[in-house]
Amino acid sequence: GAPITQAEIEQALRLPLYELEVEKYRLTRRRLDQMIVERLLARAAAAQGQSVSAFVSAAVESRIASVPPEADPAKQDARNALVRERATRALQELVERLSREAGVSVTIHPPDSPVMTIPVGDDPAWGPPAASVTIVEFADFECPACKESLPVLRQLRDLYRDRVRFIYRDFPLASHPQARPAAEAAQCAHEQGQFWAYHDALFAQAPDLQPSDYATLAERLGLNQAEFASCLASARPKVAVARDLADAQGLGLSGTPTFFVNGRYLAGFQTLEALRQHIDRELLAVR
C-alpha cells in the first residue's frame, strides 16, 4: 500500500556504488603501477644490454652484499628477513629513480566520496550547535575499530572545541550480540545527561560486555538507579536505537565506524591526520 520511489533506491545505493567505484580504482591503480614498473625496468635493462632479471639482480646485490653470513641457525631467519628488507628497499629506490628520470605522471584519481544528507535529532553530541563542521559517527559498542577511534576523537575535541560539532549515532551490528543492549543502556544514561561518561565506560569494558554490566556501570557513574531501570524497561531506548539503525540501513551503511564530515562519507577507522584533513578543508570552504 506504499510506493517505493526511485529516490529511495538511489539514496540506499549511493554508498554501495561508491564502494564499488573505490574498488575499481584500487584494481586499476594496482595494475597501472605494475605496468609502469615493468616498462621502466624493461627500458633500463635494454639500455644496459641486459635482461630484466640480470639488471634487477645487479642493482639489488650491491645492497645485500654487506649483510654478513650467519653460521648460527637460530639467527638465520633474522638474517634472511634483513636481506629481504634490503632487497625490497633497493628495488623500490631503483623504480623511484627510474620513474623520476622518465618523468612518469599518473593522471587517474580516486573517486570523490559522496556527500549525504544525514538526519539527526536529539542524539548525543558535543561541540556548539552552530559549529562550521559537523561530524556524525555511526558506531557499535562491540566494534574494535570504534574503540580504537576514541583517542583520535578526544584529540579532535581538544583541537576544534569551538569549530566542530560531533554527533554519535547507534549502528549495532547483528554480529555483536551485546551491541544493541549496550546502545539502549547508553540511551538511558543519555536521559540523565551522562551519555559520554557511560559511552567511555562501555568502550573501556568492551568487547567483554555482559547483560549485568549495564546497571553496574550506571551505579558506578552515580546515575539514578530507579530511573535507569525504568528507562531500560520502557520502549524509549529501543525506539531511539531502532531509529538510528533504520537511518544507517537507509543510507546503505555496512560497517562501523562510519563518519560523515559535513555529510562527506568516510568509512572505517580514521587517523587523526585524515580527519583533520577533511575538517580543515571544510573550515576553509566556509571562510
Side-chain angles (χ1 to χ4, degrees):
I4 298 175
T5 66
Q6 180 73 15
E8 287 180 88
I9 300 297
E10 290 176 353
Q11 173 77 352
L13 287 178
R14 283 189 71 188
L15 296 184
L17 289 175
Y18 165 72
E19 295 289 2
L20 288 175
E21 287 295 322
V22 170
E23 183 60 22
K24 177 183 176 182
Y25 168 79
R26 287 175 182 154
L27 291 171
T28 303
R29 183 60 194 264
R30 189 181 307 142
R31 180 57 183 148
L32 172 62
D33 290 344
Q34 181 182 349
M35 292 177 69
I36 290 172
V37 170
E38 290 171 354
R39 294 190 184 186
L40 286 172
L41 293 177
R43 188 172 74 167
Q48 296 290 329
Q50 296 176 302
S51 67
V52 172
S53 60
F55 175 75
V56 171
S57 295
V60 169
E61 283 173 2
S62 62
R63 293 289 294 273
I64 64 176
S66 59
V67 180
E70 184 56 66
D72 186 350
K75 297 180 180 179
Q76 190 62 41
D77 287 345
R79 181 188 181 278
N80 292 342
L82 179 60
V83 168
R84 286 194 298 270
E85 178 186 345
R86 290 194 178 182
T88 299
R89 192 182 312 148
L91 179 58
Q92 181 180 354
E93 290 174 358
L94 171 63
V95 170
E96 289 174 353
R97 176 176 63 80
L98 294 175
S99 182
R100 286 193 304 271
E101 293 172 354
V104 172
S105 64
V106 174
T107 58
I108 63 168
H109 303 284
D112 286 333
S113 57
V115 178
M116 312 289 287
T117 299
I118 311 301
V120 292
D122 59 350
D123 292 287
W126 54 257
S132 300
V133 177
T134 296
I135 301 175
V136 179
E137 179 193 20
F138 282 87
D140 170 315
F141 284 111
E142 281 193 291
C143 161
C146 298
K147 183 172 182 174
E148 190 180 354
S149 296
L150 290 187
V152 173
L153 298 177
R154 291 189 185 112
Q155 291 178 76
L156 279 185
R157 189 171 188 172
D158 290 338
L159 289 167
Y160 297 96
R161 286 188 177 276
D162 300 325
R163 295 174 290 170
V164 168
R165 182 167 178 80
F166 181 88
I167 300 171
Y168 181 94
R169 302 205 65 185
D170 292 301
F171 186 22
L173 302 178
S175 57
H176 294 156
Q178 287 302 312
R180 192 156 188 163
E184 292 168 1
Q187 287 292 330
C188 290
H190 184 38
E191 286 192 0
Q192 296 189 41
Q194 292 294 324
F195 173 81
W196 293 110
Y198 200 87
H199 161 281
D200 290 353
L202 282 173
F203 273 122
Q205 193 93 349
D208 301 317
L209 294 171
Q210 302 297 328
S212 59
D213 292 334
Y214 308 126
T216 302
L217 291 178
E219 182 179 9
R220 185 191 306 167
L221 294 172
L223 274 65
N224 183 302
Q225 294 296 290
E227 290 182 9
F228 186 81
S230 175
C231 172
L232 276 184
S234 74
R236 295 192 307 276
K238 296 176 178 60
V239 169
V241 173
R243 183 192 63 224
D244 281 5
L245 182 58
D247 284 345
Q249 292 170 339
L251 289 165
L253 304 190
S254 59
T256 54
T258 298
F259 299 92
F260 294 89
V261 180
N262 277 1
R264 188 169 295 280
Y265 169 69
L266 300 172
F269 173 80
Q270 302 294 317
T271 64
L272 178 64
E273 292 73 20
L275 283 173
R276 290 196 68 181
Q277 179 180 353
H278 288 279
I279 292 168
D280 292 343
R281 181 173 66 178
E282 294 297 323
L283 289 172
L284 284 173
V286 297
R287 282 185 179 176

